[in-house]
Amino acid sequence: MTAMPPTQPATLPDGLRLYAIGDVHGCRGHLRKLIDKIAADAAEDPSATIRLVFVGDYVDRGPDSAGVIDDILALRRDGLPDGRPVELVTLMGNHEDYFIRFLDGALDIAPQWMMNGGAETIESYDVEPPRLHDDPAELARAARGLVAALPPAHRAFLEGLDYGHRAGGYFFVHAGVRPGVPLDEQDPSEMMWIRAPFLESASDFGALVVHGHTPVPEVVERANRIDIDTGAVYGGHLTAACFWGTERRFLQVGF
């Protein structure tokens, strides 16, 4: 189905250069290479304000979820590798939802989280994951260990994640939005988890929606949405979409 074009072309305010970064999933090496590419790209416009928007799913499946969060916190503190300051927006993904709920004692979701990469996240904090994913005693042991090992800055990071970010004619979100619902009235759960109703919609959502969550071999560009989850953790690329004015281009790193 061909999406109807938005009423007006998506644009950003003058002087803003925005980079939206897709699902990292513990791929710290990819993230570091991509940040270097972003720094080089941003150097083309030395007077612009640089904003990085992460669309969520920092953790799970990949080898170093803890290191990914460390590096994002370093970006907030130190800016780009060349010292250029950045505005940082970090959005909530469904895998962070799993993570927080496990930390808060919701062990009923733990087997599903373990099957979707939670064990790798636990290991990245030097905690032994549960030997059996459906053993309450093992799950409780792993949860206690993770709570004890988690740096306070990481807990604050997780608890401070936003669900969506509006910039000019763009709306950034992890999974997508419910068609027919105003952007400021969206359900946070759906913003983390939705697929078919959003992906199949030809509606004008009120902004050009930039999202991750659904991995694709290459960036998908539609009139109403852009999918930038290019499956880094599955051997694909980690993608950053660069937006300025009415222009855009994509930066990628991979194996």
mmCIF file of all heavy atoms in Angstrom, residues 102-129:
data_model
loop_
_atom_site.group_PDB
_atom_site.id
_atom_site.type_symbol
_atom_site.label_atom_id
_atom_site.label_comp_id
_atom_site.label_asym_id
_atom_site.label_seq_id
_atom_site.Cartn_x
_atom_site.Cartn_y
_atom_site.Cartn_z
ATOM 1 N N PHE A 102 12.277 -6.376 34.960
ATOM 2 C CA PHE A 102 13.045 -7.422 35.645
ATOM 3 C C PHE A 102 13.724 -6.862 36.897
ATOM 4 O O PHE A 102 13.695 -7.482 37.965
ATOM 5 C CB PHE A 102 14.078 -8.010 34.683
ATOM 6 C CG PHE A 102 14.845 -9.177 35.231
ATOM 7 C CD1 PHE A 102 14.249 -10.429 35.343
ATOM 8 C CD2 PHE A 102 16.169 -9.046 35.615
ATOM 9 C CE1 PHE A 102 14.949 -11.514 35.839
ATOM 10 C CE2 PHE A 102 16.880 -10.125 36.106
ATOM 11 C CZ PHE A 102 16.276 -11.365 36.216
ATOM 12 N N LEU A 103 14.315 -5.675 36.769
ATOM 13 C CA LEU A 103 14.943 -5.044 37.929
ATOM 14 C C LEU A 103 13.937 -4.778 39.035
ATOM 15 O O LEU A 103 14.273 -4.837 40.228
ATOM 16 C CB LEU A 103 15.596 -3.727 37.510
ATOM 17 C CG LEU A 103 16.850 -3.808 36.637
ATOM 18 C CD1 LEU A 103 17.196 -2.426 36.097
ATOM 19 C CD2 LEU A 103 18.030 -4.393 37.409
ATOM 20 N N ASP A 104 12.700 -4.494 38.635
ATOM 21 C CA ASP A 104 11.652 -4.176 39.611
ATOM 22 C C ASP A 104 10.954 -5.422 40.155
ATOM 23 O O ASP A 104 9.972 -5.303 40.899
ATOM 24 C CB ASP A 104 10.618 -3.239 38.985
ATOM 25 C CG ASP A 104 11.158 -1.826 38.796
ATOM 26 O OD1 ASP A 104 12.174 -1.496 39.438
ATOM 27 O OD2 ASP A 104 10.560 -1.060 38.013
ATOM 28 N N GLY A 105 11.436 -6.599 39.775
ATOM 29 C CA GLY A 105 10.919 -7.827 40.365
ATOM 30 C C GLY A 105 9.821 -8.526 39.602
ATOM 31 O O GLY A 105 9.217 -9.479 40.123
ATOM 32 N N ALA A 106 9.552 -8.105 38.363
ATOM 33 C CA ALA A 106 8.506 -8.755 37.557
ATOM 34 C C ALA A 106 9.088 -10.009 36.897
ATOM 35 O O ALA A 106 9.350 -10.033 35.687
ATOM 36 C CB ALA A 106 7.960 -7.786 36.515
ATOM 37 N N LEU A 107 9.285 -11.042 37.699
ATOM 38 C CA LEU A 107 9.955 -12.243 37.199
ATOM 39 C C LEU A 107 9.088 -13.034 36.231
ATOM 40 O O LEU A 107 9.592 -13.925 35.537
ATOM 41 C CB LEU A 107 10.375 -13.125 38.380
ATOM 42 C CG LEU A 107 11.351 -12.475 39.380
ATOM 43 C CD1 LEU A 107 11.808 -13.505 40.410
ATOM 44 C CD2 LEU A 107 12.558 -11.860 38.677
ATOM 45 N N ASP A 108 7.810 -12.697 36.147
ATOM 46 C CA ASP A 108 6.948 -13.405 35.205
ATOM 47 C C ASP A 108 7.334 -13.127 33.755
ATOM 48 O O ASP A 108 7.074 -13.959 32.866
ATOM 49 C CB ASP A 108 5.484 -13.039 35.426
ATOM 50 C CG ASP A 108 5.234 -11.539 35.305
ATOM 51 O OD1 ASP A 108 6.014 -10.764 35.894
ATOM 52 O OD2 ASP A 108 4.269 -11.146 34.626
ATOM 53 N N ILE A 109 7.972 -11.971 33.503
ATOM 54 C CA ILE A 109 8.381 -11.662 32.132
ATOM 55 C C ILE A 109 9.793 -12.166 31.853
ATOM 56 O O ILE A 109 10.268 -12.097 30.713
ATOM 57 C CB ILE A 109 8.294 -10.145 31.847
ATOM 58 C CG1 ILE A 109 9.166 -9.339 32.805
ATOM 59 C CG2 ILE A 109 6.854 -9.677 31.940
ATOM 60 C CD1 ILE A 109 10.575 -9.063 32.342
ATOM 61 N N ALA A 110 10.469 -12.691 32.883
ATOM 62 C CA ALA A 110 11.872 -13.063 32.737
ATOM 63 C C ALA A 110 12.128 -14.145 31.695
ATOM 64 O O ALA A 110 13.074 -14.023 30.904
ATOM 65 C CB ALA A 110 12.447 -13.484 34.087
ATOM 66 N N PRO A 111 11.340 -15.234 31.629
ATOM 67 C CA PRO A 111 11.633 -16.227 30.583
ATOM 68 C C PRO A 111 11.588 -15.639 29.177
ATOM 69 O O PRO A 111 12.445 -15.944 28.336
ATOM 70 C CB PRO A 111 10.527 -17.274 30.791
ATOM 71 C CG PRO A 111 10.167 -17.165 32.233
ATOM 72 C CD PRO A 111 10.275 -15.695 32.535
ATOM 73 N N GLN A 112 10.619 -14.776 28.924
ATOM 74 C CA GLN A 112 10.526 -14.150 27.609
ATOM 75 C C GLN A 112 11.715 -13.227 27.366
ATOM 76 O O GLN A 112 12.270 -13.175 26.257
ATOM 77 C CB GLN A 112 9.221 -13.375 27.485
ATOM 78 C CG GLN A 112 8.958 -12.821 26.098
ATOM 79 C CD GLN A 112 7.604 -12.151 25.984
ATOM 80 O OE1 GLN A 112 6.878 -12.014 26.956
ATOM 81 N NE2 GLN A 112 7.259 -11.721 24.785
ATOM 82 N N TRP A 113 12.119 -12.492 28.404
ATOM 83 C CA TRP A 113 13.279 -11.606 28.258
ATOM 84 C C TRP A 113 14.544 -12.403 27.980
ATOM 85 O O TRP A 113 15.336 -12.033 27.107
ATOM 86 C CB TRP A 113 13.441 -10.726 29.497
ATOM 87 C CG TRP A 113 14.527 -9.690 29.356
ATOM 88 C CD1 TRP A 113 14.799 -8.943 28.242
ATOM 89 C CD2 TRP A 113 15.472 -9.281 30.342
ATOM 90 N NE1 TRP A 113 15.864 -8.095 28.483
ATOM 91 C CE2 TRP A 113 16.298 -8.287 29.769
ATOM 92 C CE3 TRP A 113 15.696 -9.666 31.672
ATOM 93 C CZ2 TRP A 113 17.333 -7.665 30.468
ATOM 94 C CZ3 TRP A 113 16.720 -9.043 32.369
ATOM 95 C CH2 TRP A 113 17.525 -8.063 31.774
ATOM 96 N N MET A 114 14.724 -13.516 28.716
ATOM 97 C CA MET A 114 15.923 -14.334 28.504
ATOM 98 C C MET A 114 15.987 -14.830 27.062
ATOM 99 O O MET A 114 17.051 -14.846 26.439
ATOM 100 C CB MET A 114 15.947 -15.519 29.470
ATOM 101 C CG MET A 114 16.061 -15.166 30.934
ATOM 102 S SD MET A 114 17.479 -14.143 31.348
ATOM 103 C CE MET A 114 16.651 -12.640 31.865
ATOM 104 N N MET A 115 14.857 -15.235 26.505
ATOM 105 C CA MET A 115 14.835 -15.742 25.130
ATOM 106 C C MET A 115 15.067 -14.642 24.105
ATOM 107 O O MET A 115 15.394 -14.921 22.946
ATOM 108 C CB MET A 115 13.505 -16.439 24.852
ATOM 109 C CG MET A 115 13.329 -17.752 25.574
ATOM 110 S SD MET A 115 11.844 -18.660 25.060
ATOM 111 C CE MET A 115 10.557 -17.557 25.644
ATOM 112 N N ASN A 116 14.932 -13.390 24.528
ATOM 113 C CA ASN A 116 15.101 -12.263 23.615
ATOM 114 C C ASN A 116 16.349 -11.446 23.931
ATOM 115 O O ASN A 116 16.405 -10.263 23.601
ATOM 116 C CB ASN A 116 13.858 -11.377 23.648
ATOM 117 C CG ASN A 116 12.711 -11.960 22.870
ATOM 118 O OD1 ASN A 116 12.660 -11.862 21.645
ATOM 119 N ND2 ASN A 116 11.779 -12.615 23.573
ATOM 120 N N GLY A 117 17.335 -12.083 24.545
ATOM 121 C CA GLY A 117 18.623 -11.434 24.727
ATOM 122 C C GLY A 117 18.916 -10.930 26.114
ATOM 123 O O GLY A 117 19.980 -10.355 26.350
ATOM 124 N N GLY A 118 18.004 -11.139 27.070
ATOM 125 C CA GLY A 118 18.248 -10.659 28.416
ATOM 126 C C GLY A 118 19.441 -11.305 29.089
ATOM 127 O O GLY A 118 20.144 -10.662 29.874
ATOM 128 N N ALA A 119 19.691 -12.573 28.775
ATOM 129 C CA ALA A 119 20.833 -13.258 29.383
ATOM 130 C C ALA A 119 22.135 -12.562 29.019
ATOM 131 O O ALA A 119 23.034 -12.411 29.864
ATOM 132 C CB ALA A 119 20.853 -14.724 28.940
ATOM 133 N N GLU A 120 22.259 -12.119 27.771
ATOM 134 C CA GLU A 120 23.471 -11.415 27.350
ATOM 135 C C GLU A 120 23.630 -10.087 28.079
ATOM 136 O O GLU A 120 24.750 -9.681 28.419
ATOM 137 C CB GLU A 120 23.443 -11.186 25.839
ATOM 138 C CG GLU A 120 23.630 -12.446 25.006
ATOM 139 C CD GLU A 120 22.336 -13.209 24.743
ATOM 140 O OE1 GLU A 120 21.333 -12.975 25.449
ATOM 141 O OE2 GLU A 120 22.336 -14.053 23.824
ATOM 142 N N THR A 121 22.516 -9.416 28.339
ATOM 143 C CA THR A 121 22.592 -8.164 29.095
ATOM 144 C C THR A 121 23.061 -8.429 30.512
ATOM 145 O O THR A 121 23.935 -7.712 31.041
ATOM 146 C CB THR A 121 21.219 -7.470 29.104
ATOM 147 O OG1 THR A 121 20.903 -7.057 27.775
ATOM 148 C CG2 THR A 121 21.216 -6.249 30.019
ATOM 149 N N ILE A 122 22.507 -9.432 31.158
ATOM 150 C CA ILE A 122 22.933 -9.773 32.523
ATOM 151 C C ILE A 122 24.419 -10.094 32.553
ATOM 152 O O ILE A 122 25.163 -9.627 33.434
ATOM 153 C CB ILE A 122 22.085 -10.943 33.054
ATOM 154 C CG1 ILE A 122 20.630 -10.494 33.241
ATOM 155 C CG2 ILE A 122 22.651 -11.478 34.364
ATOM 156 C CD1 ILE A 122 19.679 -11.624 33.581
ATOM 157 N N GLU A 123 24.888 -10.872 31.588
ATOM 158 C CA GLU A 123 26.316 -11.217 31.528
ATOM 159 C C GLU A 123 27.195 -9.989 31.356
ATOM 160 O O GLU A 123 28.321 -9.949 31.865
ATOM 161 C CB GLU A 123 26.569 -12.190 30.381
ATOM 162 C CG GLU A 123 26.108 -13.611 30.667
ATOM 163 C CD GLU A 123 26.472 -14.566 29.548
ATOM 164 O OE1 GLU A 123 26.281 -14.199 28.370
ATOM 165 O OE2 GLU A 123 26.961 -15.672 29.846
ATOM 166 N N SER A 124 26.699 -8.976 30.649
ATOM 167 C CA SER A 124 27.521 -7.778 30.424
ATOM 168 C C SER A 124 27.786 -7.017 31.715
ATOM 169 O O SER A 124 28.702 -6.183 31.764
ATOM 170 C CB SER A 124 26.850 -6.866 29.390
ATOM 171 O OG SER A 124 25.757 -6.149 29.932
ATOM 172 N N TYR A 125 27.013 -7.293 32.758
ATOM 173 C CA TYR A 125 27.248 -6.708 34.077
ATOM 174 C C TYR A 125 27.996 -7.678 35.000
ATOM 175 O O TYR A 125 28.008 -7.498 36.215
ATOM 176 C CB TYR A 125 25.916 -6.293 34.711
ATOM 177 C CG TYR A 125 25.319 -5.069 34.059
ATOM 178 C CD1 TYR A 125 24.365 -5.186 33.049
ATOM 179 C CD2 TYR A 125 25.713 -3.786 34.430
ATOM 180 C CE1 TYR A 125 23.820 -4.065 32.431
ATOM 181 C CE2 TYR A 125 25.181 -2.658 33.823
ATOM 182 C CZ TYR A 125 24.232 -2.813 32.823
ATOM 183 O OH TYR A 125 23.708 -1.688 32.213
ATOM 184 N N ASP A 126 28.617 -8.690 34.402
ATOM 185 C CA ASP A 126 29.400 -9.693 35.144
ATOM 186 C C ASP A 126 28.557 -10.435 36.177
ATOM 187 O O ASP A 126 29.020 -10.768 37.272
ATOM 188 C CB ASP A 126 30.613 -9.047 35.830
ATOM 189 C CG ASP A 126 31.616 -8.494 34.819
ATOM 190 O OD1 ASP A 126 31.811 -9.134 33.768
ATOM 191 O OD2 ASP A 126 32.201 -7.428 35.082
ATOM 192 N N VAL A 127 27.316 -10.677 35.810
ATOM 193 C CA VAL A 127 26.410 -11.471 36.637
ATOM 194 C C VAL A 127 26.048 -12.727 35.858
ATOM 195 O O VAL A 127 25.794 -12.661 34.651
ATOM 196 C CB VAL A 127 25.132 -10.677 36.991
ATOM 197 C CG1 VAL A 127 24.128 -11.538 37.736
ATOM 198 C CG2 VAL A 127 25.494 -9.433 37.804
ATOM 199 N N GLU A 128 26.035 -13.869 36.551
ATOM 200 C CA GLU A 128 25.672 -15.114 35.881
ATOM 201 C C GLU A 128 24.172 -15.130 35.601
ATOM 202 O O GLU A 128 23.355 -14.964 36.512
ATOM 203 C CB GLU A 128 26.034 -16.315 36.748
ATOM 204 C CG GLU A 128 25.741 -17.650 36.070
ATOM 205 C CD GLU A 128 26.043 -18.839 36.968
ATOM 206 O OE1 GLU A 128 26.467 -18.633 38.122
ATOM 207 O OE2 GLU A 128 25.831 -19.986 36.513
ATOM 208 N N PRO A 129 23.775 -15.308 34.348
ATOM 209 C CA PRO A 129 22.343 -15.361 34.042
ATOM 210 C C PRO A 129 21.715 -16.631 34.584
ATOM 211 O O PRO A 129 22.432 -17.575 34.971
ATOM 212 C CB PRO A 129 22.306 -15.329 32.512
ATOM 213 C CG PRO A 129 23.630 -15.859 32.089
ATOM 214 C CD PRO A 129 24.611 -15.459 33.145
#
